[in-house]
Amino acid sequence: MDIFVVDAFTDQHFKGNSAAIMPVTTFPEASLMQRIAAENNLSETAFILRNSENNYAIRWFSPLTEIDFCGHATLASAFVLYEYYNLKGKITFTTEHVGTLTVEQNHDGNIEMNFPCQAGLEVMPPQALLDGLSIAPIKVLQNRQAYIAVLPNEQAVHDIVCDSELLKQLAPHDIVVTAQSSQYDFVSRYFWPANGGYEDPVTGSIHTALAPYWAQQLDKREVTAYQASQRGGVLHCKMIEDDRIIISGSAVLYLRGKVYL
Protein backbone atom coordinates (compact mmCIF):
# COMPACT_ATOMS: atom_id res chain seq x y z
CA MET A 1 0.00 0.00 0.00
CA ASP A 2 1.27 3.47 -0.84
CA ILE A 3 1.74 5.86 2.06
CA PHE A 4 2.49 9.58 2.17
CA VAL A 5 3.20 11.55 5.34
CA VAL A 6 2.39 15.22 4.93
CA ASP A 7 2.77 18.18 7.29
CA ALA A 8 -0.43 20.21 6.85
CA PHE A 9 -1.23 23.86 7.59
CA THR A 10 2.43 24.75 7.20
CA ASP A 11 5.08 25.24 4.53
CA GLN A 12 7.87 23.96 6.79
CA HIS A 13 8.84 20.48 7.86
CA PHE A 14 8.19 19.61 11.51
CA LYS A 15 5.48 22.25 11.82
CA GLY A 16 1.72 22.04 11.36
CA ASN A 17 0.02 18.68 11.80
CA SER A 18 1.22 15.42 10.27
CA ALA A 19 -1.17 13.08 8.48
CA ALA A 20 -0.58 9.75 6.80
CA ILE A 21 -2.40 9.48 3.46
CA MET A 22 -3.09 6.04 2.03
CA PRO A 23 -4.79 5.75 -1.39
CA VAL A 24 -6.62 2.41 -1.67
CA THR A 25 -8.51 0.54 -4.40
CA THR A 26 -11.03 -0.69 -1.83
CA PHE A 27 -11.41 0.19 1.83
CA PRO A 28 -9.86 -2.46 4.08
CA GLU A 29 -11.82 -3.74 7.06
CA ALA A 30 -12.27 -1.01 9.65
CA SER A 31 -10.30 -3.04 12.20
CA LEU A 32 -7.31 -3.19 9.84
CA MET A 33 -7.48 0.53 9.08
CA GLN A 34 -7.52 1.16 12.82
CA ARG A 35 -4.45 -1.02 13.37
CA ILE A 36 -2.63 0.77 10.54
CA ALA A 37 -3.51 4.15 12.07
CA ALA A 38 -2.25 2.99 15.47
CA GLU A 39 0.97 1.77 13.87
CA ASN A 40 1.42 5.09 12.02
CA ASN A 41 0.82 6.84 15.36
CA LEU A 42 0.04 10.24 13.83
CA SER A 43 -2.88 12.50 14.65
CA GLU A 44 -4.70 11.08 11.64
CA THR A 45 -4.40 8.50 8.92
CA ALA A 46 -6.68 9.16 5.94
CA PHE A 47 -7.70 6.41 3.54
CA ILE A 48 -8.86 7.74 0.16
CA LEU A 49 -10.73 5.69 -2.45
CA ARG A 50 -11.33 6.89 -6.02
CA ASN A 51 -15.00 6.86 -6.96
CA SER A 52 -14.66 8.64 -10.30
CA GLU A 53 -12.56 11.38 -11.85
CA ASN A 54 -11.68 13.93 -9.14
CA ASN A 55 -14.13 12.27 -6.73
CA TYR A 56 -12.86 10.32 -3.72
CA ALA A 57 -14.37 8.75 -0.65
CA ILE A 58 -12.36 9.57 2.47
CA ARG A 59 -12.19 8.03 5.96
CA TRP A 60 -10.08 9.27 8.87
CA PHE A 61 -8.60 7.33 11.79
CA SER A 62 -6.73 8.59 14.84
CA PRO A 63 -4.51 6.08 16.68
CA LEU A 64 -7.54 5.36 18.92
CA THR A 65 -10.69 5.52 16.81
CA GLU A 66 -12.33 6.43 13.51
CA ILE A 67 -13.01 10.18 13.33
CA ASP A 68 -16.12 11.81 11.85
CA PHE A 69 -14.32 14.80 10.32
CA CYS A 70 -10.69 15.86 9.95
CA GLY A 71 -9.53 19.04 8.24
CA HIS A 72 -5.75 18.68 8.20
CA ALA A 73 -5.86 15.15 6.75
CA THR A 74 -8.29 16.36 4.07
CA LEU A 75 -5.83 19.12 3.16
CA ALA A 76 -2.99 16.57 3.13
CA SER A 77 -5.04 14.18 0.95
CA ALA A 78 -5.71 16.91 -1.60
CA PHE A 79 -2.03 17.88 -1.57
CA VAL A 80 -1.06 14.29 -2.40
CA LEU A 81 -3.60 14.06 -5.21
CA TYR A 82 -2.49 17.37 -6.74
CA GLU A 83 1.24 16.81 -6.39
CA TYR A 84 1.64 13.06 -6.96
CA TYR A 85 -1.47 11.91 -8.87
CA ASN A 86 -1.60 14.86 -11.28
CA LEU A 87 -5.15 15.89 -10.47
CA LYS A 88 -6.26 19.32 -11.64
CA GLY A 89 -9.16 21.53 -10.66
CA LYS A 90 -11.76 20.82 -8.01
CA ILE A 91 -11.62 17.60 -5.94
CA THR A 92 -14.73 16.28 -4.24
CA PHE A 93 -14.45 14.15 -1.10
CA THR A 94 -17.50 12.17 0.00
CA THR A 95 -17.85 11.45 3.71
CA GLU A 96 -20.25 9.53 5.90
CA HIS A 97 -20.89 12.18 8.55
CA VAL A 98 -20.26 15.68 7.13
CA GLY A 99 -21.53 15.36 3.58
CA THR A 100 -19.59 16.42 0.51
CA LEU A 101 -16.37 18.42 0.87
CA THR A 102 -14.87 20.26 -2.11
CA VAL A 103 -11.25 21.30 -2.40
CA GLU A 104 -9.34 23.49 -4.87
CA GLN A 105 -5.72 24.60 -5.18
CA ASN A 106 -5.35 28.32 -5.78
CA HIS A 107 -2.71 30.11 -7.83
CA ASP A 108 -0.19 30.37 -4.96
CA GLY A 109 -0.40 26.65 -4.14
CA ASN A 110 -2.57 27.01 -1.05
CA ILE A 111 -5.37 24.49 -0.80
CA GLU A 112 -8.87 25.85 -0.15
CA MET A 113 -11.40 23.53 1.48
CA ASN A 114 -15.13 24.21 1.37
CA PHE A 115 -16.55 22.90 4.64
CA PRO A 116 -19.92 23.08 6.40
CA CYS A 117 -20.02 25.50 9.32
CA GLN A 118 -20.45 23.72 12.63
CA ALA A 119 -21.03 26.66 14.95
CA GLY A 120 -21.33 26.06 18.67
CA LEU A 121 -24.13 27.10 21.01
CA GLU A 122 -23.45 28.58 24.43
CA VAL A 123 -23.95 26.04 27.22
CA MET A 124 -23.47 25.65 30.95
CA PRO A 125 -20.05 23.99 31.22
CA PRO A 126 -19.87 20.49 32.72
CA GLN A 127 -18.03 20.29 36.02
CA ALA A 128 -15.42 17.97 34.50
CA LEU A 129 -14.53 20.70 32.01
CA LEU A 130 -14.16 23.37 34.69
CA ASP A 131 -12.13 21.07 36.92
CA GLY A 132 -10.02 19.86 33.98
CA LEU A 133 -8.79 23.33 32.95
CA SER A 134 -6.24 25.28 34.97
CA ILE A 135 -7.77 28.61 33.82
CA ALA A 136 -11.50 29.32 34.05
CA PRO A 137 -13.24 30.16 30.75
CA ILE A 138 -15.38 33.27 30.44
CA LYS A 139 -17.80 31.43 28.13
CA VAL A 140 -18.32 27.85 26.91
CA LEU A 141 -19.96 26.77 23.68
CA GLN A 142 -20.58 23.28 22.31
CA ASN A 143 -20.91 21.82 18.85
CA ARG A 144 -21.09 18.22 17.62
CA GLN A 145 -17.33 17.82 17.97
CA ALA A 146 -16.10 19.69 21.04
CA TYR A 147 -16.63 22.08 23.90
CA ILE A 148 -15.27 25.52 23.03
CA ALA A 149 -13.84 27.36 26.03
CA VAL A 150 -13.30 31.09 25.45
CA LEU A 151 -10.46 32.27 27.67
CA PRO A 152 -9.82 35.78 29.03
CA ASN A 153 -6.78 36.52 26.85
CA GLU A 154 -4.22 35.11 24.45
CA GLN A 155 -1.63 34.36 27.13
CA ALA A 156 -4.12 32.12 28.91
CA VAL A 157 -4.31 29.93 25.80
CA HIS A 158 -0.53 29.47 25.91
CA ASP A 159 -0.43 28.91 29.68
CA ILE A 160 -3.38 26.57 30.21
CA VAL A 161 -2.80 23.06 31.55
CA CYS A 162 -5.37 20.31 31.13
CA ASP A 163 -6.16 17.25 33.23
CA SER A 164 -6.60 14.48 30.67
CA GLU A 165 -8.39 12.09 33.01
CA LEU A 166 -11.05 14.66 33.81
CA LEU A 167 -11.45 15.76 30.20
CA LYS A 168 -11.94 12.13 29.12
CA GLN A 169 -15.25 12.31 30.97
CA LEU A 170 -16.48 14.71 28.27
CA ALA A 171 -16.32 11.94 25.62
CA PRO A 172 -17.28 11.80 22.85
CA HIS A 173 -16.59 15.56 22.88
CA ASP A 174 -13.12 17.08 22.82
CA ILE A 175 -12.15 20.50 24.22
CA VAL A 176 -10.72 23.55 22.43
CA VAL A 177 -9.59 26.72 24.20
CA THR A 178 -9.47 30.01 22.31
CA ALA A 179 -8.96 33.76 22.67
CA GLN A 180 -8.55 36.86 20.55
CA SER A 181 -4.99 37.46 19.37
CA SER A 182 -2.80 40.48 18.73
CA GLN A 183 -0.85 38.98 15.82
CA TYR A 184 -3.69 36.88 14.36
CA ASP A 185 -7.43 37.27 14.72
CA PHE A 186 -7.59 34.42 17.24
CA VAL A 187 -5.55 31.58 18.68
CA SER A 188 -6.54 28.18 19.97
CA ARG A 189 -5.33 24.87 21.38
CA TYR A 190 -7.14 21.54 21.02
CA PHE A 191 -7.19 18.69 23.54
CA TRP A 192 -8.68 15.27 22.74
CA PRO A 193 -7.64 12.70 25.34
CA ALA A 194 -10.69 10.49 24.70
CA ASN A 195 -10.28 10.35 20.92
CA GLY A 196 -6.68 10.86 19.92
CA GLY A 197 -4.18 12.01 22.53
CA TYR A 198 -3.33 14.89 24.85
CA GLU A 199 -3.09 17.74 22.32
CA ASP A 200 -3.66 17.89 18.57
CA PRO A 201 -1.10 20.08 16.75
CA VAL A 202 -3.49 21.73 14.23
CA THR A 203 -7.19 20.92 13.94
CA GLY A 204 -8.88 22.07 10.75
CA SER A 205 -12.31 20.67 11.62
CA ILE A 206 -12.78 22.69 14.82
CA HIS A 207 -12.21 25.91 12.87
CA THR A 208 -15.63 25.32 11.31
CA ALA A 209 -16.85 26.40 14.78
CA LEU A 210 -14.09 28.79 15.85
CA ALA A 211 -14.01 30.89 12.68
CA PRO A 212 -17.77 31.63 12.61
CA TYR A 213 -17.64 32.59 16.29
CA TRP A 214 -14.70 34.97 15.91
CA ALA A 215 -15.96 36.34 12.59
CA GLN A 216 -19.14 37.38 14.39
CA GLN A 217 -17.28 38.75 17.41
CA LEU A 218 -14.88 40.77 15.24
CA ASP A 219 -17.45 41.68 12.56
CA LYS A 220 -15.26 40.25 9.78
CA ARG A 221 -15.88 37.81 6.94
CA GLU A 222 -12.26 36.65 6.79
CA VAL A 223 -10.17 35.73 9.83
CA THR A 224 -6.68 34.30 10.30
CA ALA A 225 -6.11 31.72 13.01
CA TYR A 226 -3.07 30.29 14.74
CA GLN A 227 -3.21 27.00 16.62
CA ALA A 228 -0.68 27.51 19.37
CA SER A 229 0.55 23.95 19.86
CA GLN A 230 4.23 23.06 20.12
CA ARG A 231 4.33 22.60 16.32
CA GLY A 232 1.90 25.42 15.49
CA GLY A 233 -0.05 26.08 12.32
CA VAL A 234 -1.79 28.91 10.45
CA LEU A 235 -5.31 28.66 9.00
CA HIS A 236 -7.02 31.18 6.73
CA CYS A 237 -10.80 31.16 7.17
CA LYS A 238 -13.41 32.87 5.00
CA MET A 239 -17.14 32.86 5.58
CA ILE A 240 -18.83 32.40 2.20
CA GLU A 241 -22.39 31.60 3.30
CA ASP A 242 -24.16 31.34 6.62
CA ASP A 243 -23.59 27.59 6.57
CA ARG A 244 -20.33 27.22 4.57
CA ILE A 245 -16.73 28.24 5.19
CA ILE A 246 -13.46 28.15 3.23
CA ILE A 247 -10.49 26.99 5.30
CA SER A 248 -7.16 27.13 3.49
CA GLY A 249 -3.54 26.33 4.15
CA SER A 250 -0.37 24.90 2.69
CA ALA A 251 1.33 21.53 3.08
CA VAL A 252 4.71 19.88 2.60
CA LEU A 253 5.67 16.25 1.97
CA TYR A 254 7.74 14.52 4.64
CA LEU A 255 7.70 10.88 3.53
CA ARG A 256 6.63 8.70 0.60
CA GLY A 257 6.85 4.95 0.81
CA LYS A 258 5.17 1.54 0.98
CA VAL A 259 3.36 -0.34 3.71
CA TYR A 260 3.72 -4.14 3.49
CA LEU A 261 0.95 -6.27 4.95
Side-chain angles (χ1 to χ4, degrees), residues 142-147 167 170-175 191 194-195:
Q142 181 186 1
N143 77 349
R144 63 187 299 273
Q145 177 177 341
Y147 288 98
L167 295 186
L170 303 175
H173 289 85
D174 302 321
I175 174 73
F191 302 93
N195 293 308

Side-chain angles (χ1 to χ4, degrees), residues 177-214:
V177 297
T178 186
Q180 191 173 347
S181 168
S182 55
Q183 182 177 355
Y184 305 92
D185 288 303
F186 66 93
V187 296
S188 68
R189 290 173 67 192
Y190 191 90
F191 302 93
W192 60 330
N195 293 308
Y198 178 71
E199 182 172 1
D200 193 38
V202 188
T203 315
S205 57
I206 198 56
H207 285 76
T208 63
L210 293 173
Y213 172 79
W214 285 111

Side-chain angles (χ1 to χ4, degrees), residues 58-117:
I58 186 168
R59 293 175 69 176
W60 308 279
F61 288 78
S62 82
L64 299 181
T65 188
E66 186 168 6
I67 299 297
D68 287 353
F69 179 30
C70 178
H72 87 276
T74 302
L75 189 156
S77 296
F79 172 82
V80 167
L81 292 172
Y82 284 130
E83 297 297 322
Y84 301 100
Y85 287 78
N86 299 315
L87 266 66
K88 306 294 182 186
K90 183 181 294 185
I91 299 172
T92 299
F93 290 109
T94 59
T95 77
E96 183 176 352
H97 297 285
V98 290
T100 298
L101 311 176
T102 57
V103 178
E104 291 187 83
Q105 191 170 36
N106 64 24
H107 61 87
D108 62 6
N110 270 10
I111 292 171
E112 299 182 344
M113 302 177 289
N114 187 319
F115 286 162
C117 288

Side-chain angles (χ1 to χ4, degrees), residues 210-221:
L210 293 173
Y213 172 79
W214 285 111
Q216 182 180 51
Q217 296 297 308
L218 301 173
D219 193 25
K220 300 174 72 172
R221 297 294 292 178

